[in-house]
Amino acid sequence: MSYPDNMLENIKKIESTRARIVEEAKKGDNFPRLSLEDGEKLLRKYHPDYKDGTKRELKVGKSKGELVPNEFADVIEAYPGIEPGEIDLEQVDYDVDVLVIGAGGAGSAAALTAQEAGAKVLVATKLRHGDANTMMAEGGIQAADKEEDSPTRHFLDALGGGHFSNDHDLLAAMVHDAPAVIEWLEDLGVMFDKDPDGTMRTLHGGGTSRKRMHSAGDMTGAEIMRTLRDEVRNREDIKVVEYEPAVSLIKDETGGCAGAVLQNMETGKFSVVRAKTVIIATGGFGRLHIQGFPTTNHYGATADGLVLGYRAGCSFSFMDASQFHPTGVIFPEQNVGLLITEKVRGAGSQLVNADGEQFVYPLEPRDIESSAIIRECFERKKGIETQTGRIGVWLDSPMIDVLEGEGTVQKEFPAKYRQFMRHGIDISKQPMLIFPTLHYQNGGLKISDDTSTEVPNLYVAGEVSGGIHGRNRLMGNSLLDVTVFGRRAGTAAARKAKEVKVGTLTLRHLTAYAKELESVGIKTERISPMILPDYVGKVG
Amino acid sequence: MAEKTAEKKVETKTVKIYIMGKEYEVPSSLTIMKALEYSGYKYIRGCGCRGGVCGACATVYRLQGSYKLNVGLACQTVIEPDMYLAQIPFYPANRAEHVLENMSPAVEEILKRYPEIARCLCCNTCKKSCPQELEAMEYIQAALRGDLKKAAELSFECIMCGLCVSRCPAEIQHYNVAILCRRLYAKYMMPKAEHLKTRVKDIEEGKFDKELSEYVKMDDKQLIGEYDKRDIEAV
């Protein structure tokens, strides 16, 4: 299988403009970047976040009155799947200093740091250790570690990408810790792309003013994730339980967080964890398919930690802002929604329409880039249609080989090359058809720069938290976020655990939440956390 | 938008497949993973990233009438008519504990932990059972020779799905050997980034603290001014 004839026909047009566009780009004669003002206008008109009828105000909880996507409101305004009475909290199955819920990048980094600070750690996760969006991150991780760069430049770039809405303190913490995190990963044995003298090979990402994107091929997240996982497995004081998601937090009579109820997905059995401090590191909500979009996210991205934290008394920030990655696969159909890393554009490929012409600067911040693609397809009608009726534009990857020499695409993007070759498409010679895909939850539970929350003894790190990226995250700041704040959470939670005395365990907050739902007239069969999405019987 | 454009479905052709021996009829364009879901299975195990990088959905299959055993990732492999398939969501593999700090990138360190690599029969079954088509036998042989650089580079795209381990007649745990080689190579043999050390030291000494705290205190108008002033490093 390869592209069908009509698409092959159109590719000829793309080939005819390729050399000229590459030449222009080489001379620095790129399609111009939009001004802040024009970018803002484009967003308001075309970005899915601004589409009418896709959000509603929350009726319960600390963030009552805030607008969030309907699909997300559905899991927040839902009843807990457990009755407090059916769980015997006096029967403690695990008694630990720090409980980490979630075993992706943030959870693993937190577990390592907490253990190093002397804590006995339990990690509970719903799938396997490492089944997380961290594993899927392709293009890179930002850090201002070169002479011509600085943490403040990194701060400014990320702030512009987030339309100046980012929490300043959180963002400053992230850019400040970034180089140290890269050094930590280098020391753990992550195979970063380097020059022979050890200099990190860095590229631009959308919205960066300096080349600070560090990478490990196009499997940067996988390389980081498997290294962290391997290291966690080396540590005796960290126990990992898989296929046992947390279904509720536990508090004690002081109102502090004191553990969680886990449920074995295969046997249904509940376990009670008593912990002095708890870290939520469960990732985001991609599998809720906001507005029906396909997603790049892993199977378990169902917003569970947001439900747990909100019921326990946390509030949200920026939960109305979703990130649509500009370049999601729309052909072949089997791969719809999968990510094509921004590094493909960082390395020199451009987006072109059905006429083979550019229509947007290739490295705008993601929300702007996505909005321009949507406009090109649906207002200007310059997209290309697949047999299943999807419409997209071309990401012209062969430009990279024209620019850097034959073989570059295969060498720099081995995973993507392989993925397309499985369907008979050689991306070093043929472009990829793309359309924006649901990629990231910009917002999340509100945290301080040590990852603490409004609930005592509860910490939150990674995609499940909100504020660092404001309304729009830049590429390479998510792998950074999970490692920086994962480490901060581990340190803070272990330190706090030394002074906490856990009282009597209770699930009263669940009962209170259910009462609040009833009091505002929410009658529904919905229960949450969702744990896994349901694709049974579906084709898509 | 996306949700509207996908309404047009042209796919109606169906094929028979056999999930753990049981017959199902499913649309012919589906991946193994989507075919299982279409048939009524809800995954707990055997499904992770759904994008071909996590190694959760290793699958073995035979086509009717063929002796040949094939492998693939359920999320990446499109079904074929008369496919007899079973997923292998978990396969036991020994993992040797190690403290990287106390090790050197020497062949003895590998052999001490995974002596069975010396039993490699050079049968190449591991490569044939790798859904990533990696040169698994070659990287095991490289590890055996102490060529950690080669072992690291040849195994870089390993997704640790375990199919190699399931088929190896010498009972080698390829992917665990591979990650140890990669970590040792990256930690001890790749040159360190000097600019990184310098920057970390500067940050620890507080060199950027003042500037950063000034930015933190600026209002949006000042920040927008600073943002617009940025020069962009050439691509």
Side-chain angles (χ1 to χ4, degrees), chain B residues 123-130 134-138 140 163-164 167-168 174:
Chain B
C123 67
N124 218 17
T125 306
C126 48
K127 180 190 168 176
K128 287 183 209 155
S129 37
C130 177
L134 300 185
E135 296 286 351
M137 184 187 84
E138 293 293 336
I140 290 296
L163 281 173
C164 48
R167 300 278 291 145
C168 178
H174 308 65

Side-chain angles (χ1 to χ4, degrees), chain B residues 8 13 17 22 30 33 48 64 79 81 83 85 97 106 108 136 143 146 155 160 162 167 171 174 178-179 200 218:
Chain B
K8 197 160 101 189
K13 206 180 143 216
I17 59 165
K22 189 164 168 53
L30 300 181
M33 180 167 283
Q64 204 169 45
I79 53 161
M83 185 182 238
L85 59 89
E97 292 209 356
E108 295 78 26
S155 70
M160 305 178 80
R167 300 278 291 145
E171 295 161 316
H174 308 65
I179 193 168
V200 171
M218 279 184 203

Side-chain angles (χ1 to χ4, degrees), chain A residues 89-368:
Chain A
L89 296 176
E90 285 177 14
Q91 194 71 41
V92 173
D93 298 278
Y94 302 99
D95 203 357
V96 295
D97 297 323
V98 178
L99 167 65
V100 181
I101 304 172
S108 302
L112 289 171
T113 331
Q115 185 265 347
E116 281 161 23
K120 186 178 158 202
V121 181
L122 178 73
V123 181
T125 185
K126 133 172 102 178
L127 296 167
R128 301 171 312 160
H129 187 183
D131 282 339
N133 286 338
T134 298
M135 188 65 101
M136 308 184 74
E138 297 180 356
I141 175 167
Q142 286 200 39
D145 59 14
K146 293 202 165 163
E147 206 184 332
E148 60 278 12
D149 200 358
S150 74
T152 42
R153 270 196 163 271
H154 189 175
F155 180 89
L156 214 48
D157 288 351
L159 200 61
H163 309 284
F164 302 90
S165 60
N166 318 46
D167 180 305
H168 289 189
D169 291 323
L170 295 180
L171 184 54
M174 184 175 79
V175 301
H176 176 273
D177 289 8
V181 152
I182 302 289
E183 194 178 48
W184 179 62
L185 294 172
E186 185 191 43
D187 191 54
L188 282 170
V190 167
M191 276 173 69
F192 283 113
D193 296 332
K194 289 180 176 179
D195 288 335
D197 69 351
T199 302
M200 293 282 180
R201 285 170 49 203
T202 50
L203 291 171
H204 271 302
T208 57
S209 65
R210 289 290 181 271
K211 293 187 197 174
R212 72 170 76 88
M213 200 66 60
H214 303 60
S215 57
D218 60 350
M219 294 174 65
T220 313
E223 170 64 355
I224 290 172
M225 188 66 248
R226 66 194 178 189
T227 303
L228 294 178
R229 177 174 60 192
D230 195 59
E231 189 54 28
V232 167
R233 288 176 179 166
N234 279 337
R235 309 272 176 100
E236 273 182 19
D237 286 337
I238 307 177
K239 182 178 173 65
V240 180
V241 291
E242 298 180 323
Y243 297 101
E244 285 206 36
V247 291
S248 177
L249 295 176
I250 297 173
K251 292 179 143 190
D252 70 6
E253 75 276 11
T254 67
C257 191
V261 178
L262 312 181
Q263 186 170 24
N264 183 319
M265 292 169 79
E266 292 174 317
T267 65
K269 184 182 172 292
F270 292 111
S271 300
V272 171
V273 185
R274 177 165 59 197
K276 291 170 182 154
T277 53
V278 176
I279 300 169
I280 298 180
T282 49
F285 68 11
R287 288 280 156 195
L288 300 187
H289 295 287
I290 306 301
Q291 294 185 38
F293 270 84
T295 181
T296 58
N297 284 196
H298 84 107
Y299 189 42
T302 50
D304 300 354
L306 295 149
V307 172
L308 264 48
Y310 196 63
R311 283 183 184 151
C314 292
S315 57
F316 295 131
S317 49
F318 300 104
M319 274 314 297
D320 58 331
S322 304
Q323 180 165 84
F324 297 85
H325 193 290
T327 57
V329 176
I330 63 163
F331 186 90
E333 183 71 20
Q334 296 87 352
N335 285 356
V336 166
L338 293 188
L339 175 70
I340 302 168
T341 171
E342 198 161 310
K343 192 183 168 192
V344 174
R345 280 172 286 140
S349 69
Q350 306 256 357
L351 290 170
V352 293
N353 61 22
D355 297 335
E357 295 301 338
Q358 290 166 282
F359 56 90
V360 62
Y361 178 73
L363 288 170
E364 294 281 7
R366 284 178 172 164
D367 51 355
I368 293 183

Side-chain angles (χ1 to χ4, degrees), chain A residues 33 36 46 51 127-128 131 135-136 144-153 155-157 159-161 164 168-169 172 175-176 179-180 182-183 186-192 194-200 204 207-211 216-217 219 223 226-227 229-231 233-234 243 265-266 287 291-294 297-299 334-335 338 346 374 378 385 387-391 414-415 418-419 422-423 435 532-540, chain B residues 1-10 27-31 34 37-56 73 75-78 89 95-101 131-134 152-153 155-161 176 179-180 182-187 190-197 199-200 203-204 208-209 211-212 215-220 223-224 226-235:
Chain A
R33 283 189 306 138
L36 282 174
Y46 300 102
K51 198 174 169 187
L127 296 167
R128 301 171 312 160
D131 282 339
M135 188 65 101
M136 308 184 74
D145 59 14
K146 293 202 165 163
E147 206 184 332
E148 60 278 12
D149 200 358
S150 74
T152 42
R153 270 196 163 271
F155 180 89
L156 214 48
D157 288 351
L159 200 61
F164 302 90
H168 289 189
D169 291 323
V175 301
H176 176 273
I182 302 289
E183 194 178 48
E186 185 191 43
D187 191 54
L188 282 170
V190 167
M191 276 173 69
F192 283 113
K194 289 180 176 179
D195 288 335
D197 69 351
T199 302
M200 293 282 180
H204 271 302
T208 57
S209 65
R210 289 290 181 271
K211 293 187 197 174
M219 294 174 65
E223 170 64 355
R226 66 194 178 189
T227 303
R229 177 174 60 192
D230 195 59
E231 189 54 28
R233 288 176 179 166
N234 279 337
Y243 297 101
M265 292 169 79
E266 292 174 317
R287 288 280 156 195
Q291 294 185 38
F293 270 84
N297 284 196
H298 84 107
Y299 189 42
Q334 296 87 352
N335 285 356
L338 293 188
I374 291 168
F378 291 95
E385 190 172 347
Q387 316 104 302
T388 53
R390 297 182 192 275
I391 298 173
R418 183 187 306 284
Q419 200 178 63
R422 285 187 175 122
H423 303 283
F435 191 80
L532 290 175
D534 190 1
Y535 299 123
V536 170
K538 292 179 187 163
V539 182
Chain B
M1 284 190 212
E3 70 278 25
K4 281 191 193 136
T5 65
E7 280 168 10
K8 197 160 101 189
K9 296 268 188 247
V10 293
S28 64
S29 65
L30 300 181
T31 56
K34 287 181 178 173
E37 288 173 334
Y38 180 84
S39 303
Y41 287 84
K42 180 162 178 172
Y43 279 100
I44 294 178
R45 287 178 186 264
C47 176
C49 74
R50 304 174 76 100
V53 293
C54 81
L73 298 174
C75 72
Q76 295 291 300
T77 310
V78 178
R95 180 184 172 282
E97 292 209 356
H98 54 263
V99 181
L100 227 52
E101 301 299 323
Q132 296 282 83
E133 297 163 341
L134 300 185
E153 287 171 354
S155 70
F156 182 75
E157 289 176 67
C158 173
I159 54 174
M160 305 178 80
C161 71
N176 283 333
I179 193 168
L180 181 56
R182 287 195 303 271
R183 291 189 65 191
L184 284 172
Y185 169 65
K187 183 176 170 68
M190 287 177 90
K192 296 278 183 217
E194 288 302 323
H195 60 90
L196 180 59
K197 271 188 215 162
R199 180 52 51 86
V200 171
I203 289 176
E204 277 168 3
F208 297 97
D209 289 356
E211 200 184 23
L212 203 50
Y215 274 81
V216 167
K217 282 184 223 127
M218 279 184 203
D219 61 28
D220 283 2
L223 286 164
I224 289 169
E226 293 293 312
Y227 185 77
D228 279 338
K229 271 195 277 178
R230 297 171 314 154
D231 61 308
I232 312 284
E233 186 179 2
V235 180

Side-chain angles (χ1 to χ4, degrees), chain A residues 392-403:
Chain A
V393 293
W394 296 109
L395 174 60
D396 197 18
S397 44
M399 284 182 179
I400 298 168
D401 276 12
V402 176
L403 203 63

